Amino acid sequence: MLITADFSIIPSAYAKDAPEDARVDSVPCVSFPFYIDQLNPRAKYLHWEFSDPDSIPVCGFEWIHWTVANLPVDAIMFDPSDAHALSIPADFSRSLPSMVPEALQGRNSSASPFLGRSADPALIERYNGPQPPDKDHQYALQVWGTSEPVEGLEQGFWLNELLHGLERGKSVCDAGGVMLVGKA
């Protein structure tokens, strides 16, 4: 599996300098587009994690920005002869619940009780754009393809539940990732 985007630096529209109408509680909420190519044909479901390992020295843990599970490949399949047949469009996080209701989005780090933020699902169960406070950060987008959905997950799952489910289910048939830069 090959994960790519049309950029290596996350555009400001999806990050720290997003306009006010693209924020929830001051947090950027419009997810960026990316492509999934060379997917193993056995993969019928997609799952991903977008996180910031460079946040560890800043806040003490890897910041989880977005998690998705059990997205049917058929729900996003366009023209198989297209070089980018699997395309995750911009703002997919906000449109996913109505476009593909069976797919799930997990909690991000804004859901931490230590932060005291709103419990609004639009903030804690959707994409949170990069806002590195100290310097440019490298962000990891990891995608897994499975032959079966990950069982036992519900809307608002935690990342560890997804990772345990991927291991427990043993149906992972593909994986890939890309590192992207978020500007301070």
Side-chain angles (χ1 to χ4, degrees):
M1 173 186 317
L2 178 65
I3 308 303
T4 59
D6 290 333
F7 48 83
S8 57
I9 297 173
I10 300 168
S12 60
Y14 312 112
K16 193 173 192 170
D17 295 325
E20 250 340 282
D21 64 347
R23 294 174 174 272
V24 172
D25 288 350
S26 307
V27 177
C29 65
V30 175
S31 57
F32 59 84
F34 63 94
Y35 307 106
I36 302 166
D37 296 309
Q38 302 172 15
L39 182 65
N40 182 322
R42 291 185 11 239
K44 303 300 180 204
Y45 294 88
L46 295 172
H47 323 271
W48 65 77
E49 165 197 8
F50 178 59
S51 63
D52 177 8
D54 286 339
S55 68
I56 295 169
V58 178
C59 63
F61 57 90
E62 183 170 354
W63 191 274
I64 301 164
H65 286 270
W66 190 21
T67 56
V68 171
N70 297 341
L71 175 65
V73 170
D74 292 345
I76 56 169
M77 185 61 104
F78 299 116
D79 178 2
S81 65
D82 182 350
H84 292 306
L86 291 176
S87 176
I88 305 301
D91 208 12
F92 191 63
S93 177
R94 291 194 299 178
S95 59
L96 182 58
S98 60
M99 285 177 54
V100 191
E102 65 269 32
L104 306 170
Q105 292 187 82
R107 290 182 186 100
N108 56 52
S109 291
S110 286
S112 170
F114 298 117
L115 296 177
R117 289 191 170 163
S118 162
D120 181 355
L123 175 66
I124 66 170
E125 294 178 11
R126 302 285 185 275
Y127 172 86
N128 278 188
Q131 301 183 84
D134 58 335
K135 61 182 179 179
D136 294 354
H137 285 199
Q138 286 208 336
Y139 294 81
L141 173 61
Q142 299 178 81
V143 181
W144 298 271
T146 61
S147 57
E148 302 292 328
V150 175
E151 293 184 10
L153 298 180
E154 296 180 6
Q155 203 65 252
F157 63 87
W158 292 101
L159 175 59
N160 64 313
E161 294 173 308
L162 171 61
L163 297 175
H164 292 309
L166 289 167
E167 173 62 25
R168 184 177 55 251
K170 306 270 193 257
S171 64
V172 174
C173 51
D174 214 346
V178 65
M179 297 296 287
L180 301 168
V181 173
K183 300 298 277 180

